[in-house]
Amino acid sequence: FAGFAALPLVLLLPLGAQNAKKDSKKDAGITSEQAQQILDELRQIRQLLQQQAEKNGPPAPSRAKLDLQGFQMLGSKDAPLTLVEFTDYQCPYCQRFHTTVYGELKRNYIDTGKVRFYSRDLPLDSLHPNAMRAAQAARCAADQGQYWKLRDIMGANPGKLDMENLVSAAGSLKMDTTAFRGCVESQKYKEAVQTDVLEAMKIGAEATPTFVLGKSTPQGVDGELIVGAQPYSEFVKSISKLDAAK
């Protein structure tokens, strides 16, 4: 574990996957099996890349452009700035962000129309066995209009992501628990979650949580990566810098 994030994640994407993933959301040319094979290959070289990163020192800030059309969003669609979180629901550092920083950001920036917030998935399932299930559960909750409420519950309780706790949480939100369980167990959204993981790797997201903060674009965001569960003051500083650059 790093001091501010769950675990470095590889950013090297095999050439075949890069060619196959020109459109990160709508690409029908990559199957679930191919995506899983890519992820397995990447995990095998994670240790080598981690050692290389330690030798080279911290990287310079990276920029990323994301197409966010169709993804879950909080705030005004016309907000001038966009913040995207790539999260792992079982990651203790994602929990730290969710319980100590997210609430203030929501009150002071998202709810006031200054920043719109998007949630994307980056489950480190080789380390966190319940993370992939939780990511799919959030999407299943979206089918019943309860994405953000279930996300709040899971984000605050990374140790309660087994199926029975998820179903219990769905019940507390008055969801159809039979439909919810069936959705999660069928892995209806596994491919969609894998697509998020591949895009995270493509932009150089090496840890959870990783954020992209920048100017809103018609398609999504053009911004800079922020890695780790940074304190609220760091987000304020970055937002103020972007405001000053308008």
Side-chain angles (χ1 to χ4, degrees):
F1 285 85
F4 53 79
L7 185 72
L9 189 69
V10 293
L11 62 137
L12 179 62
L13 195 61
L15 182 59
Q18 290 178 354
N19 291 338
K21 289 302 303 171
K22 289 182 179 178
D23 183 335
S24 62
K25 283 201 302 99
K26 300 180 180 178
D27 183 5
I30 184 168
T31 66
S32 179
E33 289 76 14
Q34 289 172 325
Q36 189 62 54
Q37 182 179 0
I38 292 168
L39 296 177
D40 290 341
E41 291 172 355
L42 290 171
R43 291 188 187 103
Q44 292 173 13
I45 62 174
R46 175 185 293 139
Q47 185 175 3
L48 175 60
L49 290 181
Q50 184 176 352
Q51 292 171 349
Q52 291 174 338
E54 290 171 353
K55 290 179 181 179
N56 295 334
S62 300
R63 295 196 64 81
K65 293 182 179 180
L66 294 174
D67 184 342
L68 299 170
Q69 298 177 90
F71 289 100
Q72 298 293 329
M73 185 202 80
L74 271 183
S76 169
K77 64 182 179 62
D78 298 319
L81 301 179
T82 296
L83 177 65
V84 184
E85 179 190 7
F86 283 91
T87 192
D88 175 322
Y89 290 105
Q90 202 175 349
C91 163
Y93 301 97
C94 297
Q95 179 196 33
R96 180 188 299 174
F97 166 78
H98 187 80
T99 58
T100 65
V101 176
Y102 172 72
E104 281 192 273
L105 283 175
K106 185 175 183 298
R107 282 192 299 274
N108 298 328
Y109 292 98
I110 299 169
D111 292 345
T112 58
K114 298 174 183 177
V115 175
R116 59 187 188 182
F117 181 79
Y118 286 85
S119 182
R120 303 286 298 272
D121 293 308
L122 184 50
L124 306 181
D125 54 328
S126 62
L127 179 65
H128 299 145
N130 292 326
M132 174 61 80
R133 180 193 298 116
Q136 295 178 73
R139 294 169 186 256
C140 290
D143 289 348
Q144 300 189 45
Q146 297 288 4
Y147 177 88
W148 292 105
K149 288 185 178 180
L150 185 63
R151 183 183 186 277
D152 284 343
I153 293 172
M154 295 192 299
N157 299 279
K160 297 182 178 180
L161 301 177
D162 58 276
M163 178 59 76
E164 295 313 311
N165 271 303
L166 291 175
V167 171
S168 177
S172 73
L173 297 175
K174 310 301 181 185
M175 293 169 57
D176 179 336
T177 55
T178 300
F180 173 79
R181 182 190 287 271
C183 177
V184 177
E185 290 182 342
S186 71
Q187 300 192 75
K188 174 182 177 181
Y189 290 111
K190 182 177 181 180
E191 238 180 286
V193 173
Q194 288 175 327
T195 296
D196 269 15
V197 174
L198 290 169
E199 184 157 14
M201 292 177 179
K202 187 176 180 181
I203 67 171
E206 298 178 331
T208 53
T210 289
F211 306 87
V212 178
L213 173 63
K215 293 182 178 180
S216 301
T217 67
Q219 291 74 36
V221 64
D222 180 358
E224 197 168 278
L225 268 64
I226 300 174
V227 181
Q230 301 295 334
Y232 175 72
S233 60
E234 288 301 313
F235 287 95
V236 172
K237 186 185 303 182
S238 297
I239 291 170
S240 297
K241 183 180 177 182
L242 287 167
D243 283 337
K246 289 180 183 177

